[in-house]
Amino acid sequence: MTDFFRIFTDPNVQWILLGCMLLGLSSGVIGSFAYLRKQSLMGDALAHAALPGVCLAFLITGSKSIAAFMIGAAVAGVLATVSIGVMTRYSRIKQDSAIAAVLSVFFGFGIMLLTEIQHSGAGNQSGLDKFLFGQAAAMVLSDVYAMIVISVVLIGMCTLFFKEFKLLSFDPGFARGLGLPVKWLDQLMMLLIVAAVVVGIQAVGVVLMAALLITPAVTARYWTEKLGVMVVLSGVFGAVSGFLGTVLSALGANLPTGPLTVLCATVLFGVSVLAAPRRGIVPKLLIRASARRRLLDGKRMREGKERAI
């Protein structure tokens, strides 16, 4: 028990804890709209597309600069978003097929660059593979400041454009009829997802970042029918996952924070599937058992009345 409280006095753990909680919070908020728009794969595509951006940033700068990596990942994410939009707008390719194609091409290109860098003669190329699964322990205070700024921007933009994103998620045709700039709003939402992915690749990695975008949103959907409540719950579930993942990582020996955060989010999802009111498996079984019991009681009462007559 003393170890549990001792970890909160460590400045490094405090930075990682704050960063992972902010990452989970902002990812859960923007991921809610991606989930409702049935674009769960979009976060996965953008996360995988960030890898070649990181590798190219290293090749250009020759150093492992987090700022350069974020810029490279952001440029690659925007390029992937534009590629998906062009493929779906000017061809007969469906969006899911376009996302799968862009995901495969960008990630394959990233793996090729990563392999080339690892076999090159550069003396500081080691550690780039950590961006595949994340390395939250390498975060410093400047990284946390960047997460704070991006999280505030993400949450602020989602709050400011909540009504527009709501219309875009449920009825884009009606939003277009009202005169809203649907294409610009769609690109804005994609840019916000890119920002969430870029800020999260160091902590969670490109492979697992999509899970942190979608899992809290799916979990929140089990608990409410209202979009506003769902967005708030999704952010809370994401922040709780970041908190639990960091604490478990600090208590364990050499346990990675990113995968633990995703596992905690999955556990919360499993609890919601089982116990969430109305939508959970257990409440549904109890409701059915209660209805069956009332039906049998009514049947016995009718049979009793018939015998009495």
Side-chain angles (χ1 to χ4, degrees):
M1 195 67 177
T2 56
D3 293 337
F4 177 80
F5 292 103
R6 190 182 303 162
I7 61 175
F8 295 104
T9 61
D10 187 347
N12 292 327
V13 176
Q14 292 174 356
W15 297 343
I16 297 172
L17 183 65
L18 178 59
C20 290
M21 289 182 66
L22 288 173
L23 174 62
L25 175 64
S26 56
S27 299
V29 170
I30 189 62
S32 299
F33 297 103
Y35 166 69
L36 290 174
R37 297 192 67 202
K38 298 181 180 179
Q39 292 182 339
S40 300
L41 276 178
M42 181 63 75
D44 199 16
L46 296 179
H48 285 74
L51 182 61
V54 170
C55 294
L56 287 175
F58 174 80
L59 290 173
I60 293 172
T61 62
S63 62
K64 292 186 290 185
S65 170
I66 298 300
F69 287 168
M70 286 189 173
I71 293 173
V75 172
V78 172
L79 182 59
T81 302
V82 173
S83 301
I84 293 171
V86 170
M87 291 175 66
T88 54
R89 191 174 297 118
Y90 298 105
S91 69
R92 295 184 178 182
I93 299 176
K94 300 291 185 181
Q95 189 179 51
D96 56 346
S97 301
I99 291 174
V102 169
L103 184 155
S104 303
V105 171
F106 273 74
F107 191 63
F109 184 52
I111 292 295
M112 183 189 70
L113 290 176
L114 184 62
T115 303
E116 179 65 24
I117 291 172
Q118 295 291 350
H119 289 87
S120 67
N124 60 346
Q125 80 275 18
S126 62
L128 284 182
D129 56 332
K130 299 298 183 182
F131 282 91
L132 287 174
F133 301 103
Q135 191 179 29
M139 286 195 302
V140 294
L141 191 57
S142 59
D143 299 330
V144 178
Y145 286 152
M147 285 186 173
I148 292 174
V149 172
I150 294 179
S151 298
V152 170
V153 171
L154 284 175
I155 296 172
M157 294 295 287
C158 289
T159 303
L160 184 63
F161 292 96
F162 178 78
K163 292 182 179 179
E164 289 80 2
F165 286 171
K166 182 178 181 180
L167 278 175
L168 199 63
S169 300
F170 291 104
D171 197 342
F174 182 64
R176 193 176 293 108
L178 291 177
L180 294 178
V182 173
K183 291 183 179 179
W184 288 105
L185 288 173
D186 185 64
Q187 291 301 317
L188 175 61
M189 190 178 296
M190 290 301 102
L191 287 175
L192 294 179
I193 296 176
V194 169
V197 168
V198 168
V199 77
I201 56 175
Q202 185 181 4
V204 180
V206 299
V207 176
L208 299 175
M209 187 59 208
L212 199 58
L213 278 169
I214 301 303
T215 307
V218 179
T219 304
R221 185 67 182 90
Y222 272 88
W223 293 90
T224 183
E225 301 287 342
K226 297 180 179 180
L227 178 59
V229 179
M230 175 186 168
V231 172
V232 173
L233 284 178
S234 180
V236 171
F237 286 141
V240 170
S241 300
F243 174 82
L244 294 176
T246 305
V247 171
L248 292 176
S249 176
L251 290 175
N254 297 323
L255 294 177
T257 304
L260 278 176
T261 299
V262 173
L263 286 176
C264 290
T266 305
V267 170
L268 291 176
F269 168 72
V271 172
S272 300
V273 170
L274 291 174
R278 295 186 181 181
R279 290 176 174 268
I281 295 176
V282 174
K284 283 183 178 180
L285 292 176
L286 293 176
I287 291 173
R288 290 176 184 175
S290 178
R292 190 179 298 111
R293 193 182 308 111
R294 288 196 302 267
L295 181 62
L296 291 176
D297 291 341
K299 184 177 180 180
R300 293 192 189 98
M301 289 178 63
R302 287 194 300 270
E303 291 176 351
K305 289 180 179 178
E306 290 175 356
R307 292 194 191 97
I309 295 173

